[in-house]
Structures are given as structure tokens and as C-alpha cells.
Amino acid sequence: ELSSCLKSVESTPPKPQTFISVLHLAPAGPDVDVYLNNTKSTSTPIPSGTFFNRYSSLDPNIYSIVFKKGGGDSVVASVPADIYDSLTYSTLLLFNNPYGAGVNAVRIEDDFSQLTGTGANFRFFHVAPGLMPVDLYLDGNKVASDRQYADNTTNGFYNTFTVRDPGTFTLAVKKAGSDSTIVQTNSSLDAGQAYTILLSGVPGGTGEHALAVDVLRASN
């Protein structure tokens, strides 16, 4: 069953595990249940706008992953069957279809092998449907340019991590090529850690669908 924490038993050697995280950032989508190889793996439906602070551990296997409407049998989106090896980390991202109605899902393989222990490692996902291309600034320094909605789902370069000096920063998302701030927050980026900066919500949205920039630290 998917959970928010990794449990271990000290008296026995840990089993090889694979790790997954779910980002349900599709405002057009309903609450979803997650099915692994046709077996329901969530105890309660995951609401739209939800992301988890920790990876969940699973036995390595070939998994076909289907997201169904919470409490029902209607398929919302799916990820094709793939190998989930031990000691690999994957992010399952649900997002609005950029080219029409409905919800898409994609597996992102999170590669931590090149992380530096002396710098802060980060990447930026633009997952705010209906919002124009944006730039990302850290303390007034542009660190991502002309990012399009869900561009990381088609260009794997945007799923890799960039390194910078650690510190506490003002993160500002601005309309691409302008000084017009859309949303901002303050966050610490620590040495040796990996962060995913998420721009989510919809223009004019409220509650969990309000435009926001969040910083998600990789953790199991």
C-alpha cells in the first residue's frame, strides 16, 4: 500500500526496494485511486492538488499503473507497464492534457546519482495549466527561462537537477521575458539536498487550485 513513509525492521536486513512519489497536479482531474498491476494500492483517494513529501517504497517489479476515479472504476489516466528496479526513484505526475481535455500521466525517473554534497540541487516544473510561459528567479537571479506548461514531460532535460550555492532565497515566478511577478515564496535550499520547485494551480484558482510555487525536498 502506498504510504507517506518508509518503514523498516531493524532485526532483518532491508529488502531491496524501489521508490515512487505521486504528484496529482491535474486540476481537471477528480480524486484518484492508484492501481498497481490491477490491485488497488491507496487506502483513500488522492485529491487533485496533492503531492507527497516522501517517496513510498515498493518491491521491485514490472508495474502497470492506472489511476481511477476515486471510489469508482473509471480510468482517469495510466502509465504503461515498465520495470521499477531496486534503488531507483520515480515520480508519477498527473497533469492536464496540454492539447485537449482530460488528464495525462507520465513516469519521471529521478536520477540522484550526480548530486553534489556541497551545493543545493534543484529542478523546476511548470504544472500550472492555462498560464503563460514563465521565468524562475532566485533572489533576483534568473535560473530558468521561458518554461512552458508541462515541458518536462516531453523534454527530459528539465527533469535533471541544477546545482547552486545553498541558502535561503526568495523564489519568484515571473511572466517570461518580463518583470511581472506571478507568484513567489521564500525557501531554504540546503547543501546535499535535492529539490523540485513546483508551479501549480490555475489562473484565478482558489484553495488547492490557487496558483502557488512550492518546494518539495526529496526524501524517503
Side-chain angles (χ1 to χ4, degrees), residues 30 77-79 89-90 101 116 158 169 173 192 195 198 206 216:
S78 62
V79 177
Y89 292 78
S90 302
T116 173
Y158 294 129
F169 304 94
V173 176
Y195 299 90
L198 298 172
T206 58
L216 182 62

Side-chain angles (χ1 to χ4, degrees), residues 15-86:
K15 294 190 303 181
Q17 297 281 273
T18 191
F19 300 91
I20 68 169
S21 177
V22 177
L23 307 181
H24 184 353
L25 300 179
D31 297 0
V32 298
D33 291 318
V34 182
Y35 285 75
L36 304 177
N37 294 341
N38 299 314
T39 299
K40 184 178 177 182
S41 299
T42 41
S43 56
T44 58
I46 300 173
S48 173
T50 297
F51 51 87
F52 294 97
N53 291 324
R54 293 178 179 271
Y55 287 88
S56 295
S57 58
L58 297 171
D59 292 333
N61 200 351
I62 297 174
Y63 288 108
S64 173
I65 301 176
V66 176
F67 300 92
K68 295 186 178 182
K69 185 176 180 179
D73 201 43
S74 174
V75 174
V76 175
S78 62
V79 177
D82 203 353
I83 298 172
Y84 290 75
D85 293 327
S86 62

Side-chain angles (χ1 to χ4, degrees), residues 129-153:
L131 192 64
M132 74 287 287
V134 301
D135 299 329
L136 175 67
Y137 288 77
L138 270 60
D139 279 354
N141 299 308
K142 188 188 294 186
V143 295
S145 301
D146 196 33
R147 293 294 303 276
Q148 316 280 323
Y149 173 67
D151 54 9
N152 68 300
T153 65

